[in-house]
Amino acid sequence: MSETPFINLQLIADRAGVSRATVSRALKNHPRISQSTIQRIKQIAAELGYRRDPHLADLMRHIRHRQSSLDRPVIALLLNQELPFEAPNVRGKSAMDGAWSRILESGYQPELFNIAELAKQGRSASRILWSRGIQGVIVCPFQNPGLLTDFDWNHFSIVAIGYSIHNPFHRAATNHYQGLLDTINNLRSRGYQRIGGVVRNHINQQTHHYYHAAYLLKQEELGCDTLLPALVIDVNKPEWLDGEFKAWFGKYHPDAIITVPGMLEMIHEWLKEKKINIPHEVGLTSLQVDDNDTLTSGIRQNTFQVGCAAVDLLMSLLQTNEKGIPHSARTVLVNGIWNEGQTTRPLIH
């Protein structure tokens, strides 16, 4: 049958012999509608050429946005940390800010729930959320990466931010792979010819080894004389700087170093002590430049937008009533942004 823009829910209901409300619920995969009924109604809708009206969806979001905060449905921001949310070094703070902002824009009310604090009180986060009728959950970056346990996720639509949560949820994350490639390309465009990476192994693990994978791919393309063998520190030994790093630096003589916060500051001081000029003799870049850092060259993680993307993904799950662990998890990647800084040479024109 040819598609027509005038097909509505009542026509589908008449063809299926059910109520309009049943059709609406079936198209959203409501758990109270049997799978056989859902499939039958979706088949009829497809045959009639039904398409969801995006303008109507926009109208409903506008109506929700105009509701007072007391009337808005709640989206839970789930934390698992000992630090208070207001602390400056809370993991993923910028991403949580982005999620909070987007939740409000979407017509919902954000609310924080800290698993660590609730556990001290002998309370279950999932029971509290379920009893309050909360259906959407954003799992914020964990202070200590790992699995989300003792939580009955079957009742909730869930999206995780980043990779610190090891459950197979839908998630939004920074595109670490692209960030590493962009860093190498930026260094080469500034005339650096012997580029080396220095990173702790747990950073590789936290980012699903995307940094290392991109580095090895680019090394195969450019050769080991241009992209030097990376120095991966297995543990946080206090002597690594005058031990493994010093030996690596003396062997390969890099003119640019890609690293991460914490290591970058120590390498910076080590180079200054050796009277090595930054950025002309050796350039320094960080793969995780802080949003307030104007001095360090490298990649800003763009985590505010990662938080926004997580909420956008959650909204799609709520619209289709998709709950629990997904059969095929989706990951939305947000590219980082190059921060010019002062620790690399200017572009060669």
Side-chain angles (χ1 to χ4, degrees), residues 110-130:
E111 188 169 341
L112 293 171
F113 295 86
N114 191 342
I115 296 175
E117 287 297 323
L118 293 173
K120 290 179 182 178
Q121 304 167 16
R123 303 169 69 192
S124 165
S126 59
R127 288 181 182 175
I128 293 173
L129 268 57
W130 175 245

Side-chain angles (χ1 to χ4, degrees), residues 97 115 155 182 221 245 256 336:
D97 289 342
I115 296 175
H155 298 301
D182 289 345
E221 174 190 333
F245 175 78

Side-chain angles (χ1 to χ4, degrees), residues 3 13 16 43 45 57 79 109 123 131 187-188 191 203 215 250 252 258 276 282 285 313:
E3 182 178 321
Q43 179 64 34
L79 312 178
Q109 179 65 27
R123 303 169 69 192
S131 66
L187 287 171
R188 295 193 71 217
I203 298 292
Y215 194 92
Y252 295 109
I258 302 169
I276 296 173
V282 175
T285 57
L313 180 52

Side-chain angles (χ1 to χ4, degrees), residues 34 55 58 91 335:
S34 69
H55 300 294
D58 289 342
R91 183 179 175 89
N335 286 352

